[in-house]
Amino acid sequence: MNVHESEKIAGILTESGYVPCERAEDADVIVFNTCCVRENAEQHAFGNIGMLKKLKKDKPELVVAVCGCMTQQGDFARRLSETFPFIDLIIGTYNIDKFGELLKKTVETKKRVIEILEKNGEICENISPLRSSFPNAWVNIMYGCDNFCSYCVVPYVRGRERSRKIEKILEEVKSLVNDGYKEITLLGQNVNSYGKDFKEKGVDFSRLLREIGRIDGKFRLRFMSNHPKDLTEEVALAISENPHACKAVHLPVQSGSDRILSLMNRRYTREKFLSEVSMIRKIIPDCAISTDIIVGFPTETEEEFSETLSLVKEVGFCGAFTFVYSPRAGTKAAVMDGQIDAETKKDRIMRLVDLQNAINRADSEKYVGKTVEILVEDFDEKKKAYMGRDERGKMAYFPYSEKIVGKFIDAKITSASGMSLIGEVEKVKG
Ligand code: 5AD
Ligand code: SF4
C-alpha cells in the first residue's frame, strides 16, 4: 500500500516538474512516506528524518515533507514538527491528492505548512502514479478498513472502507496491460470487502475478479490482503476460473489459538480458518497459501503459541510474514493487561521463523527437476543472474545473456537454495 502511495506522490511531483534523483544531496524536495503499523517502522522514520538535519542546514532551500500513516496518528504531527523544526510540510493520509498544491505553497511562501484532515473524504481518481515496480503494477481497489482488529492502527489512520468504482479499476487494469505490465496486484486492506460500501448490490470482489478475467492479453493477477472471515467459495471459484489469476492466496491467520483470535477481534476460529484452507485447496488445487502471524499478543501463553506452531505445520504455508506484537497507541490491545516481555516475544518469533524456514526449504526441494513458468522481474547485479517468480510466488534465479526483464520464460529448476530456486532458461516466451 505504502509503496504504491509513494508511486502516486512521485507522480504528483513529476506533474509539478520535478525529476527523480539518486542522492539526497542533489534533491530539491525529499518526501518521507511513513508507516506506523509497528513501532520499528516508526523508529525508522524518526531516524531517517533526523539524518537530514545537517543537509537542511547546509542547503536551507531544500524542502522536507512528511506524509503517510504516522502523520495521521494522535499527536504525532505535533511531535514530528517539534522534534524536527526543519520539516517544511506535513500532510495527512486523507488529502494526499493536495500534495502538489501544498508543496507549491511551501516553496512559494517559504513557510511551514501542516494539513491533517480529521476524516477521509471521497476517493481521488486524478493522480497518475510514477510506477517503479515493472513488470508488476499495483492497483488500489479500495481504501481504509472497518475491521478494527484489536492490535491494529490502520482503521484509525486510513479511515473507513471505501471502494473504487469497478469501471475505474477495469480501465486502469486494461491500460496497464496495454502498456506492457505483466502482473497486476490488486490492493485493499481486506479485498473481500470490495463493494460492500456501494449502494447498488451486485458488485463485489468475485464480480471484479470475473470482469478482470475477461480482459485480453497475457498477464498475472494477484491481490492482497484477504480476511479469513470474508473469503467465500464464490471468490475461490472466481479465482480458479480466472485465466489470469495466480494460484496463490495471501490469507493472514495471525494466531492459531481461538482465545487469542477472539482477543484480536478477528471473528473466526482456528477450525473455520482450517476449513477455509481446505475449501480453497479443493477449488484451486495446488494453491499456494501465505500468511501473516503475530507472536506475543497480550496474555498469549506458551501453550497458545504452540497452537500457532501446530497450525503453521498443519497448513504448510508457502510463506509467512512474521511479526512480534507491537503495542500501538489508541488500539484496544495496547491497554490490555498481560503484555508479554521482549525476551519471550523474541524466543517465540525465532522458533516460528525456524519452523517456517524449514517448510520453505522442503517446498523448494519439490521443485528440483521440474520446469516452471517464471515472470522475470529483475537482474541481480551481485548474483549476476535474473530473478523472477512462478505463479505461486516462489523466487528463482537463473543466468541469461540477453535482456529479459518483463518476459515470461520456462525455467528448468536445477537446485534449491533455501527459500529460492536456481534454474536455467529453457524457453523465452515473451
Ligand atoms: N504488531 C505486530 N504486527 C502487526 N500487524 C498489524 N498490526 C500489528 C501490531 N500492532 C501485522 C499483521 C498484519 C500485517 C500487515 O502487520 O500481521 O496482517
Ligand atoms: Fe488492520 Fe485487521 Fe484491518 Fe488488516 S483487517 S488492516 S489487520 S484492522
Side-chain angles (χ1 to χ4, degrees), residues 145 147-149 151-152 154-155 189-190 227 254 266:
C145 182
N147 286 310
F148 290 92
C149 300
Y151 50 81
C152 185
V154 169
Q189 304 296 349
N190 173 13
H227 196 306
Q254 314 296 2
R266 291 290 288 174

Side-chain angles (χ1 to χ4, degrees), residues 249-319:
V249 172
H250 186 65
L251 197 63
V253 64
Q254 314 296 2
S255 168
S257 147
D258 283 345
R259 193 184 71 87
I260 296 295
L261 285 172
S262 161
L263 282 178
M264 286 177 163
N265 191 31
R266 291 290 288 174
R267 287 173 278 171
Y268 54 84
T269 59
R270 176 191 177 102
E271 199 189 328
K272 155 97 169 60
F273 184 86
L274 289 172
S275 71
E276 204 156 280
V277 167
S278 308
M279 178 274 284
I280 294 170
R281 286 184 169 151
K282 203 166 128 208
I283 297 178
I284 317 166
D286 303 327
C287 184
I289 300 180
S290 53
T291 199
D292 293 350
I293 297 170
I294 298 176
V295 305
F297 186 83
T299 74
E300 183 191 63
T301 63
E302 173 59 30
E303 206 186 334
E304 286 161 341
F305 169 65
S306 61
E307 288 183 68
T308 297
L309 293 179
S310 74
L311 180 119
V312 167
K313 261 191 230 154
E314 195 170 336
V315 176
F317 291 111
C318 70

Side-chain angles (χ1 to χ4, degrees), residues 192 206 228-237 276 279 283:
N192 311 111
S206 54
K229 77 176 169 53
D230 296 324
L231 200 150
T232 57
E233 236 175 76
E234 190 45 39
V235 170
L237 285 167
E276 204 156 280
M279 178 274 284
I283 297 178

